[in-house]
Amino acid sequence: MIQTRRKIGFELLLKRRFWVIFLFGAILFGIRWTKGAGYLDFYSVLLKPILPGTAQSEWIKAGEDFDKNLRLKLLEEDNIRLRKALSLNQLNNEQRISAAVISRSSKSWWHQLEINKGAKDRVLKGNTVIGPGGLIGLVDSTTPLTSRVRLLTDPGHQVGAWIERTKRHGILTGMGTNRPKLIFLNKDSLAKVGDAVTTSPASSLLPPNLTIGVVQVVNEKALPSPYAIVQLTASPEAIDWVQVLKNNE
Amino acid sequence: MNRNNNELLIFISIIFLPACIIASPDWLNINGISPCWPVIWLLPFSLKNRPLRAALVAILLGIFVDSFTIGDVSYIPSLLTLSLIWSQYGLHNKKIELFLSIGLMAIFGTAFVCVSIWVQKIILYDFLRNNWFHSWSLYVLISKVIVTGLVAPFFSSWLLLSYKKN
């Protein structure tokens, strides 16, 4: 008896079983092709309610801050110890005197401030005066109850400064305008606009690493030496309270 | 009347003008520049007094004003010169009460004081010699001259009249 071969044709498409197997295969292929992306996304959505929340992120941040503060304190102690070993000047946070500005002349022939702390509060001539933003000047003279501060912008006032990035020293000279001139000691200053100007870490007159300002203009071709115009970060015209840093006695 | 004038003069000379020099009130400033108070005070005094007396007062006033500034340059040379010129002028012109002439003299006096300080600064500081006409010096000079020219006619005329009544 001759058995006829089963017909294989489009009838297969009409069978439900075929479509189930096809769908299953397609899903498997999709999972393999996307490397399980759908599963992972679904898993993350499921886990979302029990993931570390805002409170936990704050704990982590507080921990990080604590760690950073601790490291800063250790580094400062280390810095003080090394500075003592090298007999360098130090920035001592404990010897600060807060004072109010009682008279201001920041645009006339003399650029000066009068503050309400004097010899009675152990303010001495040459003490450094800082305001919000950084260094603003040095104490020029004192009376028992007041002190006169000569601002960095005063014509002829000169202090040592350097640019930390290039490690080049210069003399910051007041020109009467709001922007003093940093006259470099090297022929090649390497300074760029935006560089931060600070007091030298090796200075014996000023506390180290005090912010002074930011370089606005550089003139490399100037003679006898290049210079930069510095925008001060502390504005004496807007400061009502200052801090006098006492020198190490 | 004399007693009242004396009291007014003492008040202005001892309290008001030093207070203005120290406090430098904002409402009397132009762009942060205050009037030249020594000129405002010295002008009527010199016009009304003999050269020797005016010169002596100018020196004392210069010492007084210098004590409120960073002591690198001084007001004394310019104030001394002005006191001598004004007192000579006052001896020959008895009737100087015109509002504008007082203002004009104060303007020239202030310009002279400012130029004197400017020159002293240039002599003192090397770096200012590289460029004589700094924007800062011109700014201070012009502002000071303008604000003194506005204020002086009121204060100086008033003081001059008070001196004359004495």
Side-chain angles (χ1 to χ4, degrees), chain A residues 68-128:
Chain A
K68 278 178 187 168
N69 283 338
L70 194 68
R71 281 180 61 200
L72 187 66
K73 192 169 171 283
L74 290 171
L75 285 169
E76 273 183 355
E77 282 173 4
D78 208 26
N79 193 8
I80 290 166
R81 188 175 55 76
L82 290 168
R83 285 190 160 274
K84 268 185 189 163
L86 293 167
S87 306
L88 290 173
N89 207 352
Q90 294 171 50
L91 176 59
N92 196 339
N93 287 329
E94 288 160 14
Q95 292 186 320
R96 290 184 179 202
I97 303 163
S98 289
V101 177
I102 54 171
S103 174
R104 189 194 315 265
S105 163
S106 57
K107 283 189 174 175
S108 191
W109 293 111
W110 296 272
H111 291 208
Q112 60 186 47
L113 298 178
E114 303 283 345
I115 58 173
N116 71 340
K117 293 284 166 69
K120 207 179 161 197
D121 296 288
R122 295 169 65 200
V123 177
L124 300 170
K125 186 182 176 182
N127 282 169
T128 313

